[in-house]
Amino acid sequence: QEAQAVPAAQRGSWTSFLKSIASFSGDLSSLTAPPFILSPTSLTEFPAYWCERPDYFAAIADAKPGRDRALAVLRWFISTLKDQYTSRNEEMGSEKKPLNPVLGEVFYGTWADKNGRGVTELLVEQVSHHPPITAYVIQNKSKGLRLTGHNAQKTSFSCTFSFTSDIVNPLIWSCLAGSIIVKQIGHAVLTVTPTSGGAPENYLITLPRLRIDGLWYGSPYIELTDTSYIIGGGHVSTIEFKGKGYFSGKSHSFKSVTTPLPGQGGQGGPTETIVEGTWHENSKFSKGGAGAFHEVHENKEEVAPFAYADDKGMGEFETRKLWNLVAKGIREGDFELASREKSRIENEQRQMRKDEQAENRSWELRHFTHEASDPIYEQLGRAVKIVPPTEDMYVFKENWPAVFSSAAK
Ligand code: CLR
């Protein structure tokens, strides 16, 4: 039962790390993890996962309003999950602990115009450090598409396995083979504005729960659980996530049911559309349609970040500039460099907070304003009696920096 993926020299610190998460719940980002599990990427880069299939995103605008569009939104949503939740395993061998963004950290990037689908642009800002909260906007102006949202996480530890071989602290030891449960806090709203004029349409998207397994062996990976909703365009899609052995015996399974909202969008079509499959591979219709529904194709397109070296006025808070040496240290196995640089960044942050306090001012967000409740969430969420009934939101100030070509205009 050795943790094979853990380098021999780091086994002790991996076990202590597991003990600390087993006896802890809340904000995992604050825990110190052994070097082998560190990722050189900050969480501010994660919102880019929403659009690594820009063709599926653009297709939403081309779909007919009503059921067709609700299914196009669902298809795009499902097609983002592989990148969101399995790409670190593919690229780095397992899930890793991302860099914990500092307050005010930004990430700007773009997906080029291809096949006439228009430019898609991404703007991310870390709007809170403690707890970590990331806000973002993704926009394809020529298609009239905009996704805005924010996310935070609440983590807890679940004991799935029990053995009491350790006499000193059986409770803690018996939990080491457990899973981390990550409840995602926050939501996203997709707005489709018809380019021909007409009222914009909103889709509320809620986020699944994560279970991080494989901890004991030092090779964590994510399984999705629970339910996500997509509500809008007169329809509700209820997406249920299950692991191995529920729907199909396969991991990463899901089943989605799309129904028209009472009094809206009925239009003589099928009343219920059911789609089943695996979100990282493909799915097909099992009701209300026939054949393939989605397929995760090979040509994923990573966002092209605006290079900080080009001096585009992003300053010290551009994520890759800020974390440059920490990331270098992690990539090259120079953990002394990584931890020295990380401490430097953290100390600078602490000093900034102290100075603010001393001068009786607070940090001002660059691109967002915080609102206590989100009327779109409340209104659309009512259709599924959403819990909680309201959530806060970050409203984009519409201040696209000059580097953005189309969105700013
Ligand atoms: C962030 C929002 C993205 C989807 C996403 C994917 C992976 C999640 C990440 C979110 C939040 C932070 C996360 C990460 C996986 C592991 C990491 C939960 C939800 C935690 C903090 C690190 C755990 C440490 C072990 C891997 C050792 O849209």
Side-chain angles (χ1 to χ4, degrees):
Q1 272 165 315
E2 283 290 307
Q4 298 110 330
V6 184
Q10 292 174 42
R11 288 208 179 126
S13 64
W14 180 242
T15 318
S16 333
F17 177 68
L18 290 183
K19 281 192 193 176
S20 62
I21 51 184
S23 52
F24 168 92
S25 63
D27 170 10
L28 266 190
S29 55
S30 58
L31 296 179
T32 312
F36 82 94
I37 206 72
L38 301 179
S39 151
T41 308
S42 161
L43 270 182
T44 52
E45 296 205 25
F46 283 41
Y49 290 129
W50 283 111
C51 214
E52 293 190 330
R53 319 277 162 177
D55 50 344
Y56 277 145
F57 190 58
I60 293 168
D62 302 333
K64 247 186 20 244
R67 177 177 177 265
D68 280 3
R69 182 165 290 157
L71 292 178
V73 176
L74 176 66
R75 184 175 291 115
W76 156 74
F77 173 76
I78 299 292
S79 76
T80 71
L81 300 177
K82 178 189 161 81
D83 305 321
Q84 301 256 20
Y85 300 111
T86 71
S87 57
R88 274 91 48 204
N89 293 59
E90 272 168 27
E91 281 149 29
M92 304 185 282
S94 82
E95 190 57 58
K96 302 265 171 174
K97 188 171 184 286
L99 297 170
N100 184 24
V102 305
L103 182 60
E105 187 174 319
V106 293
F107 184 53
Y108 303 146
T110 176
W111 289 270
D113 180 6
K114 261 193 205 166
N115 314 321
R117 66 167 187 233
V119 177
T120 308
E121 299 182 291
L122 167 76
L123 179 150
V124 185
E125 178 174 358
Q126 189 69 14
V127 291
S128 167
H129 176 68
H130 207 79
I133 306 176
T134 311
Y136 55 89
V137 187
I138 297 175
Q139 177 167 287
N140 180 331
K141 183 119 195 210
S142 68
K143 291 280 180 188
L145 296 172
R146 176 186 275 196
L147 180 76
T148 51
H150 71 277
N151 45 261
Q153 299 85 39
K154 191 166 170 37
T155 54
S156 54
F157 201 79
S158 134
C159 286
T160 52
F161 188 83
S162 164
F163 65 97
T164 46
S165 57
D166 190 284
I167 9 171
V168 184
N169 197 342
L171 206 74
I172 300 279
W173 276 104
S174 68
C175 273
L176 293 187
S179 320
I180 299 173
I181 307 293
V182 182
K183 179 174 188 266
Q184 296 205 66
I185 297 171
H187 59 274
V189 173
L190 173 71
T191 306
V192 185
T193 309
T195 45
S196 54
E201 204 177 55
N202 292 311
Y203 292 82
L204 170 67
I205 300 166
T206 71
L207 308 165
R209 196 176 285 243
L210 280 58
R211 203 182 63 224
I212 305 178
D213 286 327
L215 293 169
W216 177 253
Y217 298 101
S219 48
Y221 63 92
I222 291 174
E223 184 56 280
L224 298 181
T225 70
D226 251 32
T227 307
S228 269
Y229 295 107
I230 302 178
I231 311 158
H235 288 75
V236 178
S237 294
T238 304
I239 307 141
E240 258 187 283
F241 296 101
K242 297 285 187 203
K244 244 190 197 109
Y246 288 86
F247 298 136
S248 70
K250 282 189 176 171
S251 28
H252 307 335
S253 299
F254 77 96
K255 178 179 173 180
S256 154
V257 181
T258 305
T259 50
L261 281 168
Q264 294 181 54
Q267 290 146 354
T271 53
E272 196 180 55
T273 308
I274 303 183
V275 166
E276 281 176 275
T278 51
W279 46 261
H280 66 308
E281 295 165 338
N282 53 58
S283 62
K284 51 186 197 316
F285 287 95
S286 49
K287 195 175 172 188
F293 177 71
H294 102 288
E295 195 155 18
V296 180
H297 53 63
E298 286 308 310
N299 45 337
K300 96 166 183 184
E301 294 173 46
E302 278 177 15
V303 70
F306 291 119
Y308 59 79
D310 291 356
D311 183 30
K312 299 269 165 74
M314 282 173 257
E316 299 305 308
F317 285 92
E318 196 283 328
T319 184
R320 294 199 185 174
K321 180 170 194 166
L322 179 79
W323 295 107
N324 183 28
L325 291 174
V326 177
K328 182 173 188 281
I330 292 173
R331 275 199 205 94
E332 296 172 2
D334 184 350
F335 297 110
E336 223 177 273
L337 172 68
S339 80
R340 190 180 343 116
E341 279 298 307
K342 190 167 164 281
S343 305
R344 182 186 60 77
I345 293 169
E346 286 166 354
N347 288 335
E348 278 175 17
Q349 286 293 309
R350 270 191 283 273
Q351 191 56 50
M352 284 176 73
R353 300 292 91 83
K354 269 191 208 150
D355 293 348
E356 285 160 14
Q357 228 175 10
E359 292 161 31
N360 206 7
R361 55 186 171 87
S362 55
W363 175 262
E364 209 176 300
L365 298 181
R366 194 190 296 215
H367 295 297
F368 296 90
T369 47
H370 187 214
E371 299 283 341
S373 64
D374 181 345
I376 296 175
Y377 175 96
E378 287 170 15
Q379 190 231 320
L380 292 172
R382 234 169 268 147
V384 299
K385 299 194 171 60
I386 204 156
V387 181
T390 192
E391 267 193 354
D392 62 343
M393 70 165 163
Y394 290 86
V395 181
F396 181 44
K397 292 181 183 171
E398 305 295 336
N399 54 350
W400 294 98
V403 278
F404 289 93
S405 59
S406 79
K409 266 103 236 167

